[in-house]
Amino acid sequence: MIKIFDTTLRDGEQSPGFAMNIRQKLLLAKQLEKLGVDVIEAGFPNASPEDFESVRLIAETCQKVDVCALARCHEKDIEAAIHALKEAVNPRIHVFIATSDIHLRHKLKISRAEAIKKAVMGVHMARSFTSRVDFSPEDATRSDRGFLIDILTAVIEAGVDTINIPDTVGYMTPQEYGDLIGFLRKNVPGIDAMIIATHCHNDLGLAVANSLAGVMQGARQIECTINGIGERAGNASLEEIVMALQTRKDLYQVSTNVETTQLLATSHLLSQITGQKVQANKAIVGKNAFAHGAGIHQHGMISERSTYEIMKPEDVGFSSTQIFLSKHSGRHGLGHRLNELGIDLQPDKLDQVFIKFKALADKKKHIYDEDLILLSTEGEYQRKYELISVHVVSGTQGAKIQVSFRMGESVINVAAEDNGPITAVYKAIATHVQLPGMLTEFNIHACTPEQEALGLAYITWQEDEKTVWQGHGADTDSVMAAGYAFIDMLNSRDVRQKREDTRHLA
Ligand code: KIV
Ligand code: ZN
């Protein structure tokens, strides 16, 4: 069994752009507990009163996991950790001190002997409160191996139960990191009774590979973070570690307690809280992680999933594999998607639709289901909404807009105020058409280089937990482009609803 030690709320939260308030930290901690991690490193209580309070609150609330607090080998840090963890059912303290000569000389300005003394003091103090004590020799991977043996021997005697080996600066390659773990296991007296943990930073993009190399050499705990967030280039990504161990169980022969179907929800929660999206091609949780684009791949997937799929999307929380239709898609992929949408076409009709589909795909990057429905049922549905005009008065106090649009046969004129003109337009239209949900993604970029560049707006609207709509629009005026995108999204929704109604009646 591999223990998953999540440090999203500590190592992750301390990196720029990922700060969270107490309420957000608690929300994420509850989700981590649901995910089934073994340890939540909730923060560094002596860093600030807010850090203290969030560790205290998480310790009080999350009773099924070990709640861990970070502390340097300073009395004040360890006292704060103890106080913050008072109400924890399973309190854990993580003490650390730097051990590389670079850090000892330039940062701590102490000798190796003094570092050992401080480490032992820290462990004793933490141990007086809980038997769950982790020790980290910071910058272990650039430390002298002989000195690592000395300090680890001393802290094992002082009573730690877990030895963590940080690759603080992300300098290691998998072979070297695995070799270090193997070396310590062989040479540190008493280490057999310890859990050995990995903590790898991603400066060379090797954090996950290094952690897994550690597992191969006997590490049984992995410190990692959701979406791989953390100092600089981040930490080992929890979702990648867990799915690598699960998917390649034949190789690693270990399992974790993680409920993998919660991985996507946890990743999304973190993104929502911090406003930092994961890249589309991010392994496991990126929106393209299970989307197949090439025609050959789509054909293979439709015949037999294992041709191009090593994990089931459902296992990580996606609803299903996405056959993402684009100009690269083939007739097979198109027919399959139409079937899923309840549209069964005779081969000759499918051929005709395929020609139209290719023509559209040449012009349009994303082909949505609604486009397919329109193509294959041409003439059956009319666009219900059309943007007529937008009038904006905008300044430092916010924006006032008046928007005019067609809805069916009627022309609607509505007004709204908001912080900016685009959100005001959305507010006005959404209120009038009683559209539930919220805007979850908005992108606008210039698609021509001239000064009067055409802006391409792309939006995603989350109607409820399962329903997401997309739309896009283009104009030289960014507010108009955004307005067209919103109207496009409403038309997609309308087409889909009409289609669903027809299916129910049939
Ligand atoms: O990267 C690091 O060395 C750390 C320690 C505090 C474990 O985050
Ligand atoms: Zn770290």
Side-chain angles (χ1 to χ4, degrees):
M1 178 67 70
I2 296 287
K3 288 172 77 180
I4 296 296
F5 178 117
D6 180 276
T7 183
T8 308
L9 292 167
R10 198 279 297 168
D11 206 314
E13 201 264 348
Q14 76 194 40
S15 56
F18 289 95
M20 297 173 225
N21 64 32
I22 296 178
R23 193 187 57 78
Q24 292 169 329
K25 285 186 189 175
L26 184 63
L27 203 66
L28 189 64
K30 286 191 199 160
Q31 177 60 29
L32 289 170
E33 192 174 35
K34 192 164 163 198
L35 178 66
V37 304
D38 300 278
V39 185
I40 295 175
E41 187 163 52
F44 185 179
N46 203 32
S48 72
E50 287 73 31
D51 264 48
F52 180 92
E53 186 51 21
S54 53
V55 176
R56 195 196 64 71
L57 210 58
I58 292 167
E60 192 181 83
T61 313
C62 299
Q63 306 204 334
K64 289 194 234 127
V65 281
D66 284 14
V67 177
C68 182
L70 183 73
R72 291 167 300 181
C73 292
H74 290 180
E75 284 180 19
K76 285 263 180 304
D77 277 20
I78 300 165
E79 265 166 28
I82 292 173
H83 281 116
L85 293 172
K86 275 252 157 63
E87 299 301 322
V89 173
N90 304 305
R92 178 170 283 282
I93 298 182
H94 178 186
V95 290
F96 74 99
I97 192 164
T99 50
S100 65
D101 287 336
I102 309 176
H103 281 233
L104 289 175
R105 199 172 301 137
H106 300 290
K107 185 179 83 175
L108 299 180
K109 301 187 188 343
I110 58 173
S111 66
R112 290 181 179 182
E114 281 170 297
I116 294 183
K117 229 164 113 187
K118 280 178 185 284
V120 169
M121 180 286 295
V123 172
H124 277 148
M125 218 178 137
R127 192 68 177 73
S128 68
F129 170 68
T130 175
S131 58
R132 298 177 173 87
V133 180
D134 292 36
F135 174 78
S136 289
E138 189 192 2
D139 203 17
T141 53
R142 293 191 301 167
S143 301
D144 175 73
R145 285 189 173 196
F147 179 52
L148 277 181
I149 295 176
D150 294 344
I151 198 162
L152 294 181
T153 308
V155 295
I156 290 171
E157 275 172 14
V160 294
D161 73 345
T162 303
I163 296 288
N164 179 41
I165 305 299
D167 184 22
T168 304
V169 291
Y171 183 64
M172 289 285 95
T173 63
Q175 204 208 340
E176 286 173 308
Y177 188 74
D179 182 67
L180 177 61
I181 301 289
F183 169 84
L184 295 172
R185 280 189 73 203
K186 209 187 276 160
N187 292 291
V188 177
I191 203 164
D192 284 349
M194 300 290 112
I195 290 178
I196 300 179
T198 64
H199 177 109
C200 298
H201 279 272
N202 205 31
D203 300 66
L204 294 174
L206 293 170
V208 169
N210 288 344
S211 308
L212 294 173
V215 169
M216 279 303 211
Q217 293 302 321
R220 286 297 172 263
Q221 174 169 297
I222 301 182
E223 296 201 1
C224 45
T225 59
I226 301 297
N227 297 343
I229 70 170
E231 281 285 0
R232 304 179 310 279
N235 231 286
S237 142
L238 183 149
E239 54 279 0
E240 293 175 22
I241 296 275
V242 167
M243 290 314 289
L245 293 177
Q246 176 165 309
T247 309
R248 297 308 311 275
K249 199 161 182 192
D250 57 318
L251 189 66
Y252 294 106
Q253 309 274 335
V254 289
S255 47
T256 71
N257 288 320
V258 169
E259 175 48 61
T260 60
T261 55
Q262 289 294 321
L263 286 170
L264 188 66
T266 316
S267 162
H268 282 176
L269 179 64
L270 177 64
S271 294
Q272 268 169 23
I273 287 176
T274 58
Q276 304 268 4
K277 277 194 283 177
V278 298
Q279 78 214 46
N281 63 324
K282 162 88 173 64
I284 315 298
V285 292
K287 79 176 179 199
N288 288 357
F290 294 91
H292 298 268
I296 296 169
H297 289 213
Q298 292 179 355
H299 191 170
M301 281 293 298
I302 292 161
S303 312
E304 166 55 44
R305 284 170 74 146
S306 62
T307 49
Y308 287 101
E309 198 166 80
I310 58 162
M311 295 168 273
K312 288 209 206 92
E314 295 85 347
D315 287 350
V316 307
F318 279 101
S319 49
S320 66
T321 305
Q322 292 155 297
I323 299 285
F324 181 77
L325 293 179
S326 68
K327 65 177 179 184
H328 304 294
S329 303
R331 196 176 169 283
H332 226 87
L334 173 68
H336 179 76
R337 186 68 199 128
L338 286 172
N339 266 329
E340 285 180 343
L341 292 169
I343 301 171
D344 253 327
L345 298 181
Q346 295 300 319
D348 55 334
K349 176 80 178 154
L350 180 59
D351 286 344
Q352 288 168 16
V353 173
F354 185 59
I355 293 168
K356 286 193 249 170
F357 162 77
K358 282 284 185 186
L360 183 67
D362 262 341
K363 291 194 219 126
K364 209 169 170 234
K365 205 157 88 196
H366 304 281
I367 303 284
Y368 304 125
D369 288 348
E370 290 68 27
D371 293 318
L372 296 182
I373 295 172
L374 276 175
L375 280 183
S376 51
T377 56
E378 222 163 40
E380 284 178 39
Y381 306 123
Q382 259 199 350
R383 284 171 78 85
K384 180 174 176 184
Y385 300 93
E386 192 188 342
L387 187 64
I388 300 171
S389 66
V390 179
H391 180 72
V392 180
V393 181
S394 178
T396 49
Q397 302 298 317
K400 287 184 189 172
I401 61 97
Q402 280 178 328
V403 57
S404 173
F405 66 100
R406 183 180 62 74
M407 183 166 112
E409 299 302 311
S410 324
V411 172
I412 314 290
N413 294 302
V414 275
E417 292 182 21
D418 210 84
N419 295 337
I422 292 173
T423 48
V425 169
Y426 290 1
K427 193 165 148 185
I429 304 178
T431 310
H432 186 85
V433 303
Q434 297 184 325
L435 177 69
M438 61 177 185
L439 185 72
T440 48
E441 196 176 339
F442 176 81
N443 284 313
I444 189 155
H445 62 267
C447 54
T448 49
E450 316 85 59
Q451 212 179 23
E452 268 288 275
L454 200 62
L456 194 64
Y458 168 83
I459 66 164
T460 305
W461 186 275
Q462 180 104 31
E463 178 160 341
D464 56 39
E465 225 174 84
K466 290 207 180 117
T467 324
V468 174
W469 303 111
Q470 285 132 337
H472 61 268
D475 199 88
T476 47
D477 180 297
S478 58
V479 180
M480 285 304 281
Y484 285 130
F486 197 81
I487 290 288
D488 187 48
M489 182 270 292
L490 284 181
N491 279 318
S492 294
R493 180 174 179 267
D494 177 58
V495 166
R496 175 62 77 96
Q497 279 171 346
K498 282 188 183 138
R499 177 77 204 156
E500 298 285 305
D501 291 348
T502 324
R503 281 174 83 182
H504 283 134
L505 286 175

